[in-house]
Amino acid sequence: MLRAERRRRADLVAAAVLVVVLALGVVVVLLTSSAVHTTSNTATGPVPSPPPAPPHVPATLAEIWRAPSAATSAPVVVGPVVVTGDGSAVVGRDPLTGAEHWSYRRTVPLCTVGAEWGRAIALYRNGQYCSDVTSLQATTGARGPQRNSDVPVGTGLLSDGYLVTATGSNHLETWRSDLVKTMEYGEPRADIQPGTQPRPDCLHTSAAVTEGRLAVLERCPGEPGDRLTVLLPDETEADRPNVDVSTVLPATGTRLIAITADREAVLFNNPPRLSVRGQDGNELASYPLDLPPSDLAGDPPGEIVPTTDIPGAVLWWTGSRTIALDSSDLHPLWTVPGALGPGTLFAGAPVVPVPGGLVEVSPADGGVLRSVPVNRGDYQGPVGLAAIGPVLLEQRGAGVVALR
């Protein structure tokens, strides 16, 4: 009897110790979880839709508000809001006033902010990686799906309307709308299954997407030229990329400009030319380009060449001019010299930023239809454009400026 009581007493002590350990574990998880270090202010009521765009590009535009947004490289518009990212804060703003409809803040810095699926997508830095990914509903700021990623600092976001790709110089990932990873490519952070990645030692220099296809230019050790690889990001196991085609190009220092369902446009630098390549990676056409050496030097930041899709064309900013490429076969259509960014569609017309303002151009031949002055003060750098309703947005360095 005494032995049984001792056994029961020992069992009770062990159970009590286990409860204490579990409780301490719960406390540690709560104290270290991202929720503890997050401030989320959702919209207090329905976010109104902005008024429609004007029937024509206005003859004048003036600043109506500005906000810091160092985590974006171009203005981000999703649903009825303009999304800015700066420091550790993502803010959904009224396009007419810049007032905050909602905000989301962490105690770690932002890497970048993008948009897809009616949500803002924020990547936060955790150590050496942009590993904390959060999606935020455009109309409320409420948190949607979240995930952890392995993309490096300096990542950019590419969207094909269905999937989002986070770029990286040695690793990229593609996610679907629930932020489940559909593919990773490059050097895995933790190589759990060795041999699943075909070229983990290559440097990714530029990338582009279209629905169902992701193209990457790689610089691989021991190869005489850059390598063009086309992946099928939604037809694969996440850690086993499905390579559609991969071919070594006859030169290094190239840039991937754009991709369609069956073609890729690659910039060669010596001499400057645009090489349009087919589904098998072979060249279909080549177009000489008059570009200064500064447009050809180095690799694009975030592995993304600045482009904007408009009906019938891809607007490509080379660094000194904007070149419109036919959206079907990627041949050059027209050029705006002296441009400060790729441009966008505003009031139904292509507009391109230039020193001192904007030019409205003919979508047929790029001829200037109207010049609109814009006072940018002392700012003389690149200008990214986006539009929402009657408001034109300019990304100037680390800030966004709204014009109307």
Side-chain angles (χ1 to χ4, degrees):
M1 190 71 177
L2 184 59
R3 187 178 304 163
E5 288 181 2
R6 287 176 178 171
R7 203 163 35 238
R8 283 197 297 271
R9 189 176 302 140
D11 291 342
L12 290 172
V13 170
V17 170
L18 182 59
V19 168
V20 170
V21 170
L22 289 173
L24 287 174
V26 170
V27 170
V28 169
V29 169
L30 289 175
L31 289 176
T32 57
S33 70
S34 61
V36 174
H37 305 288
T38 298
T39 302
S40 177
N41 296 314
T42 56
T44 57
V47 176
S49 297
H56 307 288
V57 175
T60 60
L61 288 168
E63 180 178 329
I64 54 175
W65 59 267
R66 65 172 57 203
S69 191
T72 59
S73 57
V76 176
V77 172
V78 56
V81 297
V82 179
V83 178
T84 57
D86 196 74
S88 61
V90 182
V91 180
R93 299 182 182 275
D94 188 291
L96 300 180
T97 66
E100 293 188 13
H101 283 302
W102 53 260
S103 64
Y104 181 83
R105 289 172 169 84
R106 296 279 307 276
T107 56
V108 291
L110 275 166
C111 290
T112 190
V113 179
E116 189 53 274
W117 317 300
R119 304 195 299 266
I121 305 165
L123 274 66
Y124 282 90
R125 180 171 180 172
N126 192 342
Q128 296 181 336
Y129 298 88
C130 297
S131 55
D132 294 348
V133 186
T134 298
S135 63
L136 303 164
Q137 295 290 341
T139 53
T140 64
R143 277 181 290 189
Q146 298 175 274
R147 69 162 295 110
N148 290 326
S149 77
D150 292 333
V151 292
V153 174
T155 184
L157 295 178
L158 290 167
S159 173
D160 66 7
Y162 173 57
L163 299 174
V164 168
T165 296
T167 66
S169 59
N170 61 358
H171 179 92
L172 59 79
E173 294 184 8
T174 299
W175 312 313
R176 65 192 193 197
S177 60
D178 55 4
L179 288 189
V180 169
K181 180 170 62 179
T182 65
M183 189 197 71
E184 65 178 351
Y185 185 71
E187 181 181 5
R189 183 175 175 182
D191 200 0
I192 299 174
Q193 293 183 291
T196 59
Q197 294 294 327
R199 282 171 291 277
D201 298 329
C202 296
L203 174 70
H204 302 171
T205 62
S206 50
V209 297
T210 191
E211 186 173 352
R213 303 181 81 214
L214 164 62
V216 185
L217 274 183
E218 306 175 82
R219 202 159 292 147
C220 302
E223 294 189 341
D226 294 342
R227 176 180 285 271
L228 173 64
T229 298
V230 178
L231 305 158
L232 305 178
D234 199 32
E235 299 181 14
T236 181
E237 299 176 42
D239 57 352
R240 293 180 181 271
N242 188 349
V243 178
D244 186 37
V245 64
S246 188
T247 184
V248 176
L249 302 175
T252 60
T254 61
R255 292 188 182 194
L256 182 63
I257 307 303
I259 178 175
T260 69
D262 59 0
R263 302 186 182 209
E264 305 86 36
V266 179
L267 173 65
F268 284 73
N269 61 12
N270 189 23
R273 66 185 181 94
L274 189 71
S275 172
V276 177
R277 314 188 82 84
Q279 284 184 300
D280 57 2
N282 292 324
E283 186 171 86
L284 299 176
S286 179
Y287 305 96
L289 298 173
D290 180 19
L291 297 177
S294 57
D295 285 8
L296 307 168
D299 300 317
E303 296 76 55
I304 301 173
V305 169
T307 62
T308 301
D309 290 334
I310 65 171
V314 178
L315 304 182
W316 160 39
W317 186 55
T318 69
S320 68
R321 62 208 67 194
T322 291
I323 300 176
L325 307 178
D326 183 273
S327 57
S328 296
D329 63 12
L330 299 178
H331 79 271
L333 294 169
W334 43 261
T335 299
V336 177
L340 300 177
T344 194
L345 201 69
F346 179 49
V351 294
V352 177
V354 294
L358 308 161
V359 288
E360 176 190 352
V361 299
S362 166
D365 58 13
V368 174
L369 303 177
R370 182 194 302 256
S371 295
V372 182
V374 174
N375 181 5
R376 300 191 181 106
D378 296 332
Y379 182 77
Q380 297 180 349
V383 176
L385 296 185
I388 177 171
V391 177
L392 186 68
L393 302 158
E394 291 195 343
Q395 177 93 35
R396 302 178 194 166
V400 169
V401 178
L403 307 171
R404 188 179 183 187

